[in-house]
Amino acid sequence: MSTVLSLIAIFSLVATALAGCGGSENKSAGTNEDHTITWLTARPENGAIIQTVRELADRYSEDHPKFKLDIQVTADRPSYLTKLRTLVASGELPDFIDTDADPYAQELADAGMLVDMKKFLEEQGLYDQFYEPALKYQELPDGSLYLLPLEYHLEMTWYNKKIFEENNLSVPKTIDDMLTISKTLKNKGITPIAVDGVDVWPVLRYAAMIPFRTTGNEFARNLSQGKAKMADDVGMQTAKFVSEIGQYFQKGFASTDYTTAKNMFLNGEAAMYRMGTWEIPSFVDENLPEQLKGQVDYFYLPTINNTKTPDNEFFGNSGIGLAATTNNFDESTKDFLSYVLKNYSDVYVAKQQMSPLKFTIEDESKYSELFLRIKKDMDNYGSEFAKPWDTLLDADTNSVMSDLIIKLAMGTITPEDFAKQIDDAIAQNASN
């Protein structure tokens, strides 16, 4: 079914649901009635986010004894998306769902299925309590806000200080410096960069580096909508950079998974490894292998000449977003969500996690030096995250991009072939 027909089907379902949504209002008719809220989530069952929400739900139920939170976890992302689309098609959406701020989420919002979260946060006096970049990351392609962040991360390149020092290398200030460092290391028989190629997105981050420094998120957004081309100057710079940086990834990177790539770095087999603050525990000295203790540091996205973005803006994310569905967003559901957000940071930060809601640390002794240092980085961050391409492109183009970006980094296709095939895919899919 085409996207257009899918939207028609969605609007029909919404109309049917709204026609008989009186039962949704009855669900919150009084505090004496049972009230179960269902959250369909794609997050790890034992992750800090679900643990935090469960803990807050238990606290909430102490004053609302008839309340219950039913968390339905499908952590495998493809399986989750299949389940979500099935529920949308059947008109049986739960109270809360997880979704990226991608074109599909835009379809759901346009169809009236999702709650306007900017309006909700402003009503609750919570909008200004969030870190601005964490909210911006959740904005849909049209700039609206229908998703809430439950996490907040910066992304950086972790590097082995010992390898750098032994080879008289300094932290790169520019992207050209990073290429020069990588070439020097490779010439000395050292693997410059460990990367997870199986999940593709870590490779796509490299593709987004030059466009973000050159245009902010403008090029990526325009490309996704067919208003810019990969064959344009910025696009070709991007393709050539990925083709060049790819030769400094470890051999067989395309079949290397997340854990293996990280372990390569932790075992001293690679000089650099790009990942985010969700990996802070892995890089705290007490958790590092003996040979790496005191030898791990990080740097953020290097700059370029005539950059459009400041040094304190780079890659980060606030993860998959939480959306509330309109048919089920009654007063009780609003009250619970407001309670969670107002108490979220206290519980989440205690788990050594960075909250998307502004927070202060009263007892620094409870946190690692690394955690405190990155917290200061967050407090001094700019206003715009580099937007990941896989959250902007439509699903069909994403599939093409995922295949071609690996081939480009492997050197099996030229930058010109890459650009042409991406432009052809977007021309075919963006109009939908």
Side-chain angles (χ1 to χ4, degrees):
M1 182 183 291
S2 71
T3 306
V4 174
L5 290 177
S6 296
L7 273 173
I8 293 173
I10 289 173
F11 277 112
S12 299
L13 285 168
V14 172
T16 302
L18 290 175
C21 68
S24 176
E25 293 182 2
N26 292 335
K27 188 168 68 170
S28 62
T31 56
N32 293 325
E33 291 189 13
D34 290 341
H35 185 198
T36 297
I37 289 177
T38 302
W39 175 21
L40 179 69
T41 179
R43 305 168 200 268
E45 175 79 39
N46 297 317
I49 293 175
I50 289 183
Q51 289 179 356
T52 297
V53 175
R54 278 205 175 106
E55 185 173 332
L56 290 171
D58 289 342
R59 292 186 190 179
Y60 185 80
S61 64
E62 292 176 3
D63 294 326
H64 303 79
K66 302 264 183 167
F67 167 84
K68 179 182 178 183
L69 177 64
D70 177 20
I71 302 178
Q72 299 178 1
V73 178
T74 306
D76 175 67
R77 190 64 67 89
S79 298
Y80 172 82
L81 292 174
T82 298
K83 185 173 183 179
L84 174 61
R85 288 171 183 267
T86 300
L87 290 172
V88 168
S90 64
E92 298 177 353
L93 278 173
D95 303 80
F96 296 115
I97 61 172
D98 286 346
T99 180
D100 286 310
D102 58 15
Y104 183 66
Q106 183 76 67
E107 287 185 29
L108 299 181
D110 290 344
M113 288 185 160
L114 304 183
V115 173
D116 184 332
M117 281 302 173
K118 182 175 183 180
K119 180 179 179 182
F120 169 74
L121 292 177
E122 289 176 338
E123 289 174 349
Q124 300 296 318
L126 289 168
Y127 186 80
D128 293 334
Q129 298 304 307
F130 281 83
Y131 286 102
E132 183 181 2
L135 283 183
K136 278 195 170 184
Y137 184 85
Q138 300 297 338
E139 290 180 353
L140 297 181
D142 69 353
S144 58
L145 183 68
Y146 284 82
L147 311 178
L148 289 177
L150 293 179
E151 55 192 304
Y152 183 40
H153 304 290
L154 302 183
E155 296 180 15
M156 63 276 281
T157 297
W158 301 89
Y159 71 98
N160 187 312
K161 291 166 62 177
K162 183 178 180 181
I163 292 178
F164 269 53
E165 289 167 3
E166 290 177 346
N167 292 278
N168 298 314
L169 299 173
S170 301
V171 171
K173 294 181 179 180
T174 67
I175 289 178
D176 283 342
D177 289 344
M178 188 166 63
L179 288 170
T180 300
I181 287 170
S182 298
K183 183 177 181 179
T184 299
L185 290 169
K186 184 176 181 180
N187 288 342
K188 294 188 176 186
I190 301 168
T191 299
I193 302 169
V195 67
D196 162 19
V198 168
D199 292 311
V200 183
W201 69 262
V203 180
L204 275 173
R205 289 294 199 271
Y206 286 93
M209 288 182 176
I210 287 178
F212 182 69
R213 282 295 182 228
T214 305
T215 73
N217 287 312
E218 181 182 351
F219 176 77
R221 289 188 186 280
N222 287 342
L223 182 72
S224 69
Q225 299 168 23
K227 298 176 182 177
K229 291 184 178 297
M230 190 61 69
D232 295 344
D233 287 344
V234 175
M236 289 309 302
Q237 288 178 50
T238 295
K240 290 174 182 177
F241 171 69
V242 172
S243 179
E244 188 171 0
I245 197 73
Q247 63 186 302
Y248 303 123
F249 298 159
Q250 78 275 15
K251 291 182 179 178
F253 76 88
S255 58
T256 303
D257 62 20
Y258 186 102
T259 302
T260 303
K262 180 175 72 172
N263 287 340
M264 279 189 67
F265 177 76
L266 293 176
N267 292 334
E269 299 172 42
M272 292 176 281
Y273 172 65
R274 218 194 148 281
M275 202 48 65
T277 51
W278 56 89
E279 283 288 1
I280 287 177
S282 297
F283 300 115
V284 172
D285 251 17
E286 62 189 53
N287 297 329
L288 286 171
E290 194 63 35
Q291 70 273 15
L292 270 189
K293 291 186 184 300
Q295 297 300 325
V296 173
D297 205 346
Y298 64 87
F299 60 86
Y300 294 111
L301 177 64
T303 188
I304 60 172
N305 291 330
N306 301 317
T307 182
K308 184 175 181 179
T309 53
D311 289 347
N312 69 335
E313 290 184 2
F314 33 84
F315 287 91
N317 70 79
S318 52
I320 192 169
L322 175 76
T325 56
T326 50
N327 287 352
N328 305 309
F329 205 57
D330 52 38
E331 290 305 316
S332 294
T333 307
K334 289 181 184 179
D335 187 65
F336 171 67
L337 181 57
S338 179
Y339 174 85
V340 167
L341 296 178
K342 289 174 180 177
N343 295 278
Y344 191 79
S345 288
D346 290 342
V347 179
Y348 190 61
V349 175
K351 301 182 188 300
Q352 307 292 310
Q353 301 291 327
M354 299 290 182
S355 174
L357 290 128
K358 297 172 185 175
F359 66 97
T360 56
I361 296 176
E362 296 181 1
D363 185 357
E364 293 189 352
S365 66
K366 295 181 179 179
Y367 300 88
S368 69
E369 182 180 341
L370 182 60
F371 185 96
L372 296 173
R373 179 182 166 195
I374 293 174
K375 169 68 166 63
K376 290 181 181 179
D377 294 343
M378 286 186 163
D379 290 339
N380 293 319
Y381 193 85
S383 62
E384 190 77 72
F385 274 148
K387 194 75 173 177
W389 289 17
D390 45 323
T391 65
L392 288 173
L393 298 172
D394 64 89
D396 292 332
T397 302
N398 248 328
S399 179
V400 174
M401 175 69 83
S402 295
D403 176 53
L404 294 180
I405 200 70
I406 297 296
K407 292 179 179 178
L408 180 63
M410 291 174 64
T412 58
I413 60 171
T414 66
E416 290 76 16
D417 286 342
F418 171 80
K420 182 181 185 308
Q421 291 185 58
I422 292 297
D423 287 341
D424 288 347
I426 290 174
Q428 181 177 347
N429 299 316
S431 61
N432 290 329

